Amino acid sequence: MKFPGVILILLQVHLSNGEDAHCSRYHYEEQTLAKIVRMEHRLEELEKRRDADCHCPDGWVTFQGSCYLFSQAEVNFLDAEVLCSQTGGHLVRVESEQENNFLKHYMKQLKNAHYWMGLSDMDQEGTFKWYGTNDVVSFTDWISGEPSNGGGTEHCVHFYHGHSYSWNDAQCNSLMKAVCEQKSK
């Protein structure tokens, strides 16, 4: 919304009355509207700069400095990591409630499916780390009763669509879609 035309109209109408008592009030209004215009311009510049700083490849979605790709192919956990690395990323590492909520909201808009994330306890049962790192998970969103390590064979984590995309452990050879992540460029 632009206000310069409004400022000119207000000045013309009020100054044409010739009332000096109203001049100071109109001068104040003019200054206020000018400040609003400057703030709008600054906001537009910041948004342009942010969008330029957060560039994601085509088909990827941006959120807080990261880019996300929601694969269509159903693959096992290790193949999901390979698929993500071939696109320049890795399986998603959910680091905050805000990021988790963003991902869950986005997946709810897609066709119901399970999605791999990059979390597993393959190295040590019950110690969940982000794949390819020694980083132990700090934020979690487990379904009640999970992780269960059902049958002693569930070591990889996915977003479970039947429970609003909360987290569940599953067998790593299960076939699911993947959420890939890379830092925006």
Side-chain angles (χ1 to χ4, degrees):
M1 186 183 314
K2 303 294 179 197
F3 290 103
V6 173
I7 293 171
L8 291 175
I9 291 170
L10 283 173
L11 284 175
Q12 289 171 352
V13 169
H14 296 301
L15 290 178
S16 66
N17 291 338
E19 297 178 21
D20 291 336
H22 294 284
C23 286
S24 63
R25 188 175 109 211
Y26 300 127
H27 181 69
Y28 173 77
E29 289 174 0
E30 176 187 38
Q31 288 178 334
T32 302
L33 290 173
K35 285 179 184 178
I36 291 170
V37 170
R38 285 194 305 272
M39 289 173 67
E40 284 182 336
H41 179 71
R42 286 182 188 158
L43 180 60
E44 288 173 6
E45 291 300 315
L46 287 172
E47 287 174 346
K48 286 178 189 175
R49 199 175 311 149
R50 182 201 67 205
D51 292 342
D53 291 344
C54 295
H55 178 71
C56 293
D58 288 343
W60 292 66
V61 179
T62 185
F63 180 75
Q64 293 185 342
S66 288
C67 302
Y68 301 92
L69 178 67
F70 298 82
S71 78
Q72 294 303 309
E74 291 188 348
V75 294
N76 67 42
F77 180 84
L78 293 176
D79 287 344
E81 179 61 30
V82 169
L83 177 124
C84 290
S85 67
Q86 289 173 343
T87 62
H90 53 78
L91 279 171
V92 67
R93 297 173 186 154
V94 183
E95 298 170 354
S96 70
E97 183 176 3
Q98 294 80 14
E99 181 182 23
N100 191 60
N101 288 340
F102 163 77
L103 293 167
K104 288 169 70 168
H105 177 73
Y106 195 86
M107 286 182 281
K108 286 177 185 177
Q109 297 174 42
L110 303 174
K111 183 179 176 185
N112 288 346
H114 302 297
Y115 288 86
W116 288 119
M117 67 175 70
L119 190 61
S120 78
D121 68 346
M122 286 189 252
D123 293 338
Q124 181 181 348
E125 178 57 37
T127 302
F128 287 89
K129 296 180 181 179
W130 295 113
Y131 187 79
T133 75
N134 284 321
D135 299 338
V136 177
V137 66
S138 58
F139 168 84
T140 62
D141 184 25
W142 295 108
I143 297 169
S144 180
E146 298 295 339
S148 65
N149 192 25
T153 61
E154 295 182 339
H155 302 292
C156 296
V157 181
H158 67 99
F159 296 97
Y160 188 81
H161 78 82
H163 285 274
S164 298
Y165 294 98
S166 290
W167 303 7
N168 181 46
D169 58 341
Q171 294 180 356
C172 299
N173 62 356
S174 299
L175 299 180
M176 301 182 199
K177 296 180 179 186
V179 180
C180 304
E181 177 183 19
Q182 65 175 257
K183 293 297 175 194
S184 65
K185 299 174 182 170

